[in-house]
Amino acid sequence: MPATKAYATMDAKSPLGPYEITRRDPGPAEINIEILYCGVCHSDLHMVRNEWGQSTYPLVPGHEIVGRVVAAGSAVTKFKAGDVAAVGVIMDSCRRCEPCGRGEEHFCREGATLTYGAKDRIDGSTTMGGYSSNYVVHERFAHTVPANLNLAAAAPLLCAGITTYSPLRHWNVGPGMKVGIVGLGGLGHMGLKFAHSFGAHAVQLTTSLKKKDDAIKLGADEVVLSTDPDAMQRHAGSFDFILDTASAPHALDPYLSLLKQDATMCLVGLPEKPPSVNVFSLITKRASVAGSMIGGMIETQQMLDYCGQHGITSEVEVIPIQQVNEAFERMLKQDVKYRFVIDMSSLK
Ligand code: NAP
Ligand code: ZN
Ligand code: ZN
């Protein structure tokens, strides 16, 4: 049971600070990863501050993990010591149910085991996330990273990447479609890159017009200030699909007014308070409001391979772990370009 350095919080009101945890030695099908980089997801902030009411403490966040394998069990086939491995939002599932059989472990009937703050299926402990020096995981829940990708910039693909790639694929986003991305943050900028890469007419909807030039560089064909009713009105009834990544409570109706008949707005952002919808926004065009959560192991690997083929990574600001509390505050001020990633060597 090697001691492992980490950053944790003890309650919803305290900042993250140094903490020591233990990781088990890897079982036959498990690997121990020395973490090189871990992305800072807005979900980490929601969880640290118990904004969804499900956090337990001590809590070590972090589910955008990229590192190097330092030990592999005897039955491991995908990795050997020295290989790069990556872990996202889930680290286990029942592996037997129908969704698990399809490689959609995130929809596991028994509930997937989250990378942190969940009950470990093997030893019953509480899972501790990637703001730490090492992670132990079954090889099924670890991914390979294409060799051409910068590792710090690849880390956010494990959550922000797959959470936007999966719904854009599911709703067949491609050429001839006008697609809106709500929010230009960690998820939003990846959604924008994918929508552009898939050949759609990509429109960034943002509350921060100062991000306009960046949005265009990242692939936006148009940028719309979502707080300007006139600007929104000019796009009324014209969108085939909207992906909403906003992290703070907001009305859905202004965005629903942008949809064409029978079109879908998919929510991936998880604000503290649930959204409200005026049903008239839906019935007048048979619109759908849908939701999507990360992606399964098969699709996550497909997404990473796609990123390798197309040279897609996240725009990152690499920070030492000592700056993570400040990074949380900047994330709340929508002041992140466009994902903080912790250089885990700063933990040593
Ligand atoms: P982030 O980097 O902080 O970005 C959030 C963005 O939301 C902001 O940059 C801002 O973009 C926009 N925003 C903030 N307040 C808004 C408001 N009142 N109205 C409209 N837009 C607003 O956060 P993130 O890491 O991308 O995460 C976004 C959300 O997705 C979080 O709630 C997170 O928990 C959730 N999430 C869900 C999944 C899933 O599986 N479904 C996975 C990961 C994360 P502009 O400045 O451009 O307006
Ligand atoms: Zn996340
Ligand atoms: Zn299952």
Side-chain angles (χ1 to χ4, degrees):
M1 297 278 267
T4 302
K5 287 188 173 177
Y7 253 50
T9 184
M10 299 303 147
D11 58 67
K13 302 266 180 258
S14 305
L16 289 155
Y19 185 64
E20 199 169 275
I21 58 174
T22 51
R23 301 277 189 204
R24 63 170 170 268
D25 291 320
E30 290 184 325
I31 55 174
N32 184 331
I33 302 168
E34 182 190 359
I35 301 174
L36 299 173
Y37 298 102
C38 185
V40 178
C41 179
H42 207 114
S43 298
D44 298 342
L45 192 160
H46 292 308
M47 282 292 285
V48 161
R49 300 188 180 176
N50 198 18
E51 291 178 350
W52 299 327
Q54 61 188 47
S55 304
T56 56
Y57 301 93
L59 185 143
V60 176
H63 58 210
E64 293 184 336
I65 297 168
V66 168
R68 211 166 275 289
V69 176
V70 287
S74 54
V76 169
T77 57
K78 223 158 75 174
F79 301 97
K80 58 181 183 332
D83 287 350
V84 170
V87 179
V89 176
I90 62 176
M91 59 80 74
D92 205 355
S93 69
C94 87
R95 307 180 211 161
R96 289 180 306 269
C97 72
E98 201 226 321
C100 283
R102 283 197 307 266
E104 294 193 313
E105 297 87 347
H106 55 316
F107 299 138
C108 174
R109 296 254 163 80
E110 293 182 13
T113 309
L114 298 176
T115 299
Y116 64 85
K119 189 175 174 198
D120 188 295
R121 285 182 144 84
I122 308 292
D123 62 20
S125 64
T126 300
T127 57
M128 301 281 174
Y131 293 10
S132 59
S133 61
N134 289 74
Y135 203 83
V136 174
V137 65
H138 189 286
E139 66 168 336
R140 173 176 177 153
F141 295 86
H143 306 280
T144 57
V145 178
N148 59 320
L149 298 184
N150 174 283
L151 294 184
L157 299 176
L158 276 299
C159 177
I162 185 60
T163 301
T164 51
Y165 179 95
S166 182
L168 293 172
R169 283 298 197 213
H170 182 78
W171 274 277
N172 297 313
V173 162
M177 289 174 79
K178 181 171 171 180
V179 171
I181 306 291
V182 179
L184 190 61
L187 267 60
H189 91 290
M190 290 312 306
L192 181 58
K193 285 191 180 201
F194 286 132
H196 172 74
S197 178
F198 297 168
H201 181 85
V203 181
Q204 182 65 50
L205 300 150
T206 179
T207 62
S208 319
L209 207 55
K210 61 178 188 296
K211 297 179 184 172
K212 183 175 179 179
D213 293 345
D214 283 354
I216 288 166
K217 276 189 217 130
L218 294 168
D221 296 291
E222 295 179 73
V223 181
V224 178
L225 181 62
S226 53
T227 50
D228 176 352
D230 293 337
M232 293 288 272
Q233 178 57 34
R234 284 196 285 279
H235 291 266
S238 67
F239 281 78
D240 296 282
F241 182 72
I242 294 176
L243 184 67
D244 183 349
T245 76
S247 55
H250 58 289
L252 300 189
D253 304 287
Y255 301 103
L256 292 171
S257 74
L258 304 181
L259 292 177
K260 286 181 181 168
Q261 187 193 313
D262 292 320
T264 297
M265 171 159 167
C266 175
L267 311 180
V268 290
L270 292 162
E272 189 175 356
K273 293 192 190 70
S276 70
V277 181
N278 183 334
V279 181
F280 282 96
S281 303
L282 301 172
I283 63 168
T284 48
K285 55 176 76 167
R286 203 163 48 197
S288 301
V289 174
S292 187
M293 184 182 78
I294 48 169
M297 297 304 106
I298 291 174
E299 194 174 37
T300 302
Q301 190 62 58
Q302 284 168 350
M303 178 274 309
L304 285 163
D305 294 344
Y306 181 90
C307 288
Q309 284 149 18
H310 296 267
I312 295 175
T313 50
S314 182
E315 306 299 307
V316 298
E317 182 175 336
V318 178
I319 55 165
I321 198 154
Q322 293 76 13
Q323 283 175 19
V324 70
N325 294 303
E326 193 188 326
F328 274 15
E329 291 310 317
R330 282 183 54 197
M331 198 152 58
L332 281 176
K333 289 189 209 133
Q334 294 164 226
D335 174 26
V336 45
K337 289 185 169 180
Y338 279 89
R339 192 58 135 193
F340 290 110
V341 171
I342 302 165
D343 178 350
M344 216 48 76
S345 66
S346 59
L347 194 54
K348 285 181 180 149

